[in-house]
Amino acid sequence: MLKLSIITINYNDIQGLQKTVESVVSQSSNDFEFLVIDGGSTDGSSEYLGVQNKKLDYWISEKDRGIYHAMNKGIRASSGEYILFLNSGDVLLDDTEILNKVVLHLDQQALYYSPIYLSQNNIIKNKVDYPVNINERFVFTNTICQQAVIYHTSVFNNNFFDEKLKYISDWKMHFSLFKSKVKFIHLNIPFAIYDLDGLTSKGETKYTSHKERLKTQFLDFFLYFLKYYGTNRRVLFRLLKIFIRVD
């Protein structure tokens, strides 16, 4: 079995797609497969993937029901022992050996997470570090950037991303996995650069994703919501505004 499956989700972002594909296919490692799930783009992405066909292990271009539906498609089509989501615009570090370095440390049925660099307009802005040991409070009240995460495929056994959510199903997945006692292992090897020009990083969309997370925390994890936010008036007031649609 191949060690790693890299899954790229794309929709009408041919420039970002080109960056990501070039980054992945430049790797010297042969111990990974590369899958691209395109949502039926109309900007030339499908034609580009056709040209890159020999460099890709699997690709498809068809309409889907959103990011997490596309990601679930990628999970079902993958065959690696571990999965990394690297979406359009996101790239691996400028090091053709980075995957070789990373896979040497993947030896448990766990969720691995690492520091990650953030870029905007192709310029690295900063680096995000996560605690070496994370606890329930951290996973509930924070988001681990998905491009900083490598999943053992066992975590997806009869368990997929919630497609009813538009922006924060990865947060829900991480918290659910933590609650079910999946190991979270800190991997102190930054390997990816997250594109801040992506969908959930943009102005109004970012704000909407925050609202979706707060509502999901309240409705799906009520006891944890009370535990960590129950005395926070600012959070409670914001939740009230969401439900009465004053926002």
Side-chain angles (χ1 to χ4, degrees):
M1 177 186 285
L2 287 168
K3 195 71 170 181
L4 184 65
S5 297
I6 298 177
I7 300 173
T8 292
I9 306 304
N10 177 71
Y11 180 65
N12 283 341
D13 183 15
I14 187 169
Q15 291 184 338
L17 179 63
Q18 290 171 335
K19 282 171 49 180
T20 305
V21 169
E22 290 168 8
S23 168
V24 174
V25 301
S26 69
Q27 287 293 304
S28 63
S29 173
N30 294 315
D31 200 13
F32 75 94
E33 63 176 359
F34 188 25
L35 304 87
V36 180
I37 312 298
D38 179 71
S41 295
T42 56
D43 67 343
S45 292
S46 178
E47 290 77 7
Y48 170 74
L49 292 171
V51 172
Q52 300 298 316
N53 184 61
K54 292 183 178 179
K55 298 178 182 179
L56 307 175
D57 296 283
Y58 175 89
W59 71 275
I60 190 170
S61 181
E62 62 182 20
K63 289 185 177 181
D64 55 49
R65 297 190 297 273
I67 295 173
Y68 298 110
H69 180 219
M71 289 168 61
N72 287 337
K73 282 185 184 180
I75 293 169
R76 292 186 176 96
S78 67
S79 60
E81 186 179 359
Y82 294 87
I83 291 177
L84 163 64
F85 291 98
L86 198 70
N87 295 334
S88 284
D90 306 321
V91 296
L92 296 170
L93 289 190
D94 189 15
D95 177 354
T96 59
E97 296 294 325
I98 193 62
L99 290 185
N100 284 324
K101 296 172 184 176
V102 167
V103 297
L104 290 174
H105 298 270
L106 305 179
D107 58 6
Q108 297 192 52
Q109 293 188 5
L111 181 154
Y112 290 84
Y113 63 99
S114 74
I116 189 166
Y117 291 96
L118 309 181
S119 73
Q120 193 163 33
N121 299 322
N122 297 317
I123 300 173
I124 292 178
K125 296 292 186 179
N126 63 310
K127 176 185 174 186
V128 176
D129 287 298
Y130 300 105
V132 173
N133 298 300
I134 59 177
N135 56 24
E136 181 184 89
R137 174 184 288 274
F138 181 87
V139 181
F140 188 75
T141 60
N142 292 273
T143 299
I144 302 174
C145 183
Q146 190 167 51
Q147 288 77 356
V149 173
I150 297 177
Y151 306 86
H152 189 271
T153 53
S154 62
V155 308
F156 297 119
N157 290 343
N158 300 313
N159 181 42
F160 293 94
F161 290 100
D162 186 344
E163 296 175 12
K164 296 189 299 294
L165 297 172
K166 188 172 182 179
Y167 303 112
I168 56 93
S169 191
D170 47 341
W171 170 86
K172 183 179 180 181
M173 173 68 76
H174 295 164
F175 185 64
S176 297
L177 293 176
F178 190 87
K179 286 203 309 133
S180 64
K181 308 302 182 184
V182 169
K183 286 184 180 179
F184 279 55
I185 299 176
H186 185 263
L187 181 64
N188 194 26
I189 304 176
F191 55 81
I193 302 173
Y194 174 59
D195 182 12
L196 288 172
D197 296 312
L199 175 64
T200 56
S201 297
K202 293 180 179 178
E204 183 61 27
T205 303
K206 183 176 181 179
Y207 179 60
T208 303
S209 70
H210 287 167
K211 291 197 299 180
E212 183 180 66
R213 189 177 86 172
L214 189 60
K215 187 174 181 179
T216 302
Q217 287 172 322
F218 180 78
L219 294 177
D220 292 6
F221 306 102
F222 179 68
L223 293 179
Y224 295 96
F225 181 91
L226 290 182
K227 183 177 181 180
Y228 296 117
Y229 294 141
T231 59
N232 189 319
R233 293 183 180 181
R234 181 180 62 83
V235 171
L236 294 174
F237 181 64
R238 186 176 178 193
L239 181 69
L240 179 62
K241 291 203 301 181
I242 290 172
F243 280 110
I244 63 176
R245 300 182 180 180
V246 171
D247 251 346

